[in-house]
Amino acid sequence: MVARIGILTVSDRAAAGVYADEGGPAIRAELTRLLASPWEPVHRIVPDGVESVRDAIVELVDGEGCGLVLTTGGTGPTPRDLTPEGTEAACERMMPGFGELLRMRSLEQVPTAILSRQTAGIRGKALVVNLPGRPSSIRVSLLAVMPAIPYCLDLIGAALVDTDPAILSAFRPALGAPAPGRRT
C-alpha cells in the first residue's frame, strides 16, 4: 500500500499567488530523500486562519486518506499565525512531544526558535505535524522528528512509512518486544 502524505502550506501570500510556495516543495524534497517506502504527496496551499487550516487537515485525512500530514508555516507569534490552533481544532488528541523536540532542535540553530508554537496531533488514523516555513528549518525539523514518525503511524494504524536507513533510521521496537501498552 502506498502511503499518502499531505503537505499543507499555510500562507496568505502563497495562497494569493503573491509569492511562490517554498515550504511545500522543501517538505516534498526532504521526504523524497528520507523515505524508502512508496508514498504519494497530496499538496494543498491555504491562507492563514484557524478554519482554513482545520478544514484542509480534515479534507487531507478524511477525504484524501492521508495518514501523515505535514504543515509548513503559520506557527509564529503574529496574529495571523494560527496553524497550531487549526491543527488542534482538527485533531482528537495532541502529541506535545513533537513540538517540544522541534523547538529544542531549532534552538540549537537560532535563539528565536523559542517563538515557535509548533505542535502535533492525531486525527483518526493520521498524524499531523506542524513544521516551520523556511526550507532550511524544514530539513532540521524533519531530521529531528522522522525517527519517531514511522512507529507512531504503526501505532495509530496508518499506512507503512519507512525511512532510508542509510540516511536516517526510524525507531521501531525489536522483534519479540511486548506490544505497546502490554506488560510482560
Side-chain angles (χ1 to χ4, degrees):
M1 175 188 232
V2 175
R4 293 178 60 102
I5 299 177
I7 300 171
L8 178 60
T9 299
V10 182
S11 166
D12 287 334
R13 292 179 291 172
V18 173
Y19 73 81
D21 170 24
E22 294 181 355
I27 291 173
R28 184 178 182 152
E30 197 60 22
L31 289 177
T32 298
R33 188 177 80 85
L34 293 174
L35 297 182
S37 56
W39 67 285
E40 176 185 350
V42 183
H43 189 211
R44 300 284 186 274
I45 302 174
V46 299
D48 291 286
V50 174
E51 293 82 10
S52 59
V53 172
R54 178 200 63 212
D55 294 349
I57 291 169
V58 169
E59 191 254 329
L60 285 166
V61 173
D62 298 356
E64 294 288 346
C66 294
L68 175 61
V69 175
L70 300 172
T71 73
T72 177
T75 60
T78 73
R80 294 288 297 154
D81 289 332
L82 298 169
T83 299
E85 288 80 4
T87 299
E88 190 167 344
C91 292
E92 291 103 22
R93 293 181 292 157
M94 299 309 294
M95 302 289 289
F98 282 93
E100 293 164 7
L101 177 60
L102 289 165
R103 278 182 291 284
M104 184 180 76
R105 219 30 87 73
S106 294
L107 277 168
E108 295 169 0
Q109 310 293 316
V110 295
T112 55
I114 195 70
L115 302 176
S116 175
R117 301 179 316 107
Q118 297 158 329
T119 191
I122 296 172
R123 177 177 181 83
K125 293 183 178 183
L127 174 65
V128 180
V129 180
N130 299 155
L131 299 175
R134 292 184 44 226
S136 60
S137 299
I138 288 169
R139 173 172 273 196
V140 168
S141 296
L142 279 174
L143 288 172
V145 297
M146 192 53 77
I149 287 177
Y151 185 52
C152 182
L153 297 177
D154 293 349
L155 292 172
I156 63 176
L160 177 72
V161 170
D162 242 334
T163 60
D164 180 346
I167 299 172
L168 180 76
S169 293
F171 173 82
R172 285 192 167 95
L175 294 175
R182 295 180 76 188
R183 292 181 170 215
T184 55

